[in-house]
Amino acid sequence: MSLRQRRILIGVTGGIAAYKVCELVRRLRDLEAEVRVVMTEGATHFVTPTTFQALSGQPVRVSLWDEHGEAAMGHIELARWAERVLIAPASADAIARLAHGFANDLLSTVVLATAAPVYVAPAMNQQMWAHPAVQANIGTLRVRGVGILGPADGDQACGDIGSGRMLEPHDLRDRLVASFGSQALHGRHVVVSAGPTYEDIDPVRFIGNRSSGRMGFAVAAAARDAGAEVTLVAGPVSLPTPPGVTRIDVRSARQMQDAVLAACQRSDIYVGAAAVGDYRPAGTADHKLKKVDGSPLHLELTENPDIIAALAAQPGHPFLVGFAAETHELASYAQDKLRRKGLDMIAANEVGAGKGFEVAENALHLYWPGGDLVLPTRPKTELARQLIEHIAERFLSGHGPTP
């Protein structure tokens, strides 16, 4: 396990768990990581900047108004330097300011200015952690792609027992190591499709599938962390582009097909995580259709192209990973789709009330010719990382098109 020459920025906010971050910095340095520390004013009441400077071997920044540090726009330099940003401990106040996009101190400004993946390690009283405002802010950060590490359950400094403890330094170290991935896909090109497709009925109405795009975006980020060059073909979603990923925005199934086929001309792996509509209106009205009282609207539909089947029919196609979202008979439908479309792997998940769509967690059942594996419920970011690991393993072992 090594982090040699990896650049990690640690943001320390005001909380008693700040003392644990001293151990984290030491452990990261033991793995040969380059570590820089930014502290809030509140954090300096728990641990001094001198301590972190001695442990990291780098100057510690505290103020946005440091004339020496900001002589050359130091906050931008820090933001560009970092490959990972970890805020630990992340207090309830820090989480709120990040969720609302504040930039009123050095740390929050760096977070807004960086293109690096950002992680937070919450640490607070168990009642504070359970408060709806804190949970809403955590939900906002998750949607934006921020990694939430913890918290853990146990005894707290205030005497309470419950969820809210910051993860231990070795856990945070291991999560940072895992975030860089195995680099198993270094030099490979991965195309991921994500989100829904919309098919216009008239200028103001459309039909489409339910999808937040979170799973597909998480898969794109995980493939990037595994060292791949990643192209993300996204339907209409309101999600930020994962840093380091090339994004192509589309609306309809036919637009998605054109973008995917073009991107896959030079790709090694295609992951079809998009919820592509099976049908579209046979024609699109050029004006808003008016409701006629008592008269039903008859909408003629025609079948959309099958993107992954079209890829499978091409000679020399990439390693193909499909998704199957089903409300029942998951195994039989998924395995039938795997065989019928000639896929190398399929990731099946149940959808319905509180499952699959518009939630932060999911579970997958992977199938491939001759085998299967269950990935139990967990945050989509973690699930995506596991999925990419298994895709890389199958791809590199030669089970599919020749790598």
Side-chain angles (χ1 to χ4, degrees), residues 192-229:
V192 180
S193 62
T197 58
Y198 290 168
E199 307 293 345
D200 291 326
I201 298 172
D202 61 24
V204 299
R205 301 181 181 92
F206 64 86
I207 59 173
N209 281 357
R210 290 180 59 190
S211 174
S212 66
R214 290 183 190 175
M215 190 67 212
F217 275 58
V219 169
R224 172 209 60 200
D225 290 344
E229 174 192 353

Side-chain angles (χ1 to χ4, degrees), residues 23-383:
E23 176 69 8
L24 172 62
V25 172
R26 188 184 69 79
R27 288 176 179 267
L28 292 173
R29 294 285 289 148
D30 286 345
L31 296 181
E32 300 182 273
E34 297 179 30
V35 181
R36 295 186 186 181
V37 177
V38 171
M39 303 178 71
T40 64
E41 291 285 351
T44 63
H45 290 275
F46 295 91
V47 181
T48 69
T50 305
T51 300
F52 283 118
Q53 180 171 313
L55 291 169
S56 68
Q58 297 288 339
V60 174
R61 296 286 308 281
V62 177
S63 175
L64 187 59
W65 307 109
D66 181 340
E67 292 183 5
H68 175 73
E70 288 299 314
M73 300 293 285
H75 65 285
I76 299 298
E77 188 275 330
L78 279 171
R80 291 173 176 168
W81 173 85
E83 291 182 285
R84 296 290 187 275
V85 176
L86 169 64
I87 301 172
S91 65
D93 176 71
I95 289 169
R97 290 190 291 115
L98 291 177
H100 291 279
F102 285 8
N104 58 350
D105 64 4
L106 178 60
L107 180 57
S108 59
T109 302
V110 169
V111 171
L112 286 184
T114 192
V118 176
Y119 300 85
V120 298
M124 66 195 74
N125 167 266
Q126 55 89 21
Q127 193 63 45
M128 294 174 68
W129 172 249
H131 195 283
V134 173
Q135 290 304 306
N137 289 333
I138 287 290
T140 296
L141 294 179
R142 278 201 176 103
V143 168
R144 292 179 187 161
V146 174
I148 311 299
L149 307 183
D153 294 336
D155 296 334
Q156 300 184 322
C158 61
D160 283 359
I161 300 174
S163 184
R165 285 172 56 96
M166 190 180 81
L167 294 183
E168 295 302 317
H170 68 275
D171 289 325
L172 294 175
R173 176 205 60 190
D174 291 349
R175 298 289 188 96
L176 285 172
V177 170
S179 77
F180 286 101
S182 64
Q183 299 296 294
L185 295 178
H186 179 73
R188 305 294 184 178
H189 180 210
V190 176
V191 177
V192 180
S193 62
T197 58
Y198 290 168
E199 307 293 345
D200 291 326
I201 298 172
D202 61 24
V204 299
R205 301 181 181 92
F206 64 86
I207 59 173
N209 281 357
R210 290 180 59 190
S211 174
S212 66
R214 290 183 190 175
M215 190 67 212
F217 275 58
V219 169
R224 172 209 60 200
D225 290 344
E229 174 192 353
V230 181
T231 299
L232 174 62
V233 181
V237 296
S238 55
L239 294 174
T241 306
V245 170
T246 299
R247 178 173 175 173
I248 301 171
D249 287 311
V250 298
R251 180 175 175 84
S252 69
R254 285 176 293 179
Q255 290 171 348
M256 183 168 283
Q257 181 185 44
D258 290 344
V260 166
L261 292 181
C264 283
Q265 288 180 3
R266 61 178 189 87
S267 74
D268 299 289
I269 298 169
Y270 170 66
V271 182
V276 183
D278 292 327
Y279 296 93
R280 67 180 185 274
T284 302
D286 57 8
H287 60 277
K288 180 181 176 181
L289 298 176
K290 295 298 182 181
K291 179 174 68 173
V292 179
D293 291 340
S295 299
L297 173 65
H298 297 284
L299 191 63
E300 183 181 354
L301 301 178
T302 188
E303 193 171 359
N304 268 326
D306 189 323
I307 297 172
I308 203 164
L311 278 172
Q314 294 183 347
H317 62 74
F319 187 92
L320 298 176
V321 182
F323 268 68
E326 304 292 348
T327 57
H328 63 288
E329 296 184 36
L330 184 69
S332 61
Y333 283 132
Q335 292 178 74
D336 175 69
K337 186 175 181 179
L338 177 75
R339 292 188 297 268
R340 181 165 40 84
K341 297 190 177 184
L343 308 182
D344 298 294
M345 181 182 288
I346 195 163
N349 67 292
E350 291 186 5
V351 294
K355 294 181 179 179
F357 295 129
E358 299 158 358
V359 293
E361 295 187 335
N362 201 2
L364 294 175
H365 195 149
L366 307 185
Y367 296 93
W368 57 86
D372 70 295
L373 176 69
V374 174
L375 301 182
T377 301
R378 61 197 59 209
K380 288 181 178 179
T381 51
E382 175 66 15
L383 197 64

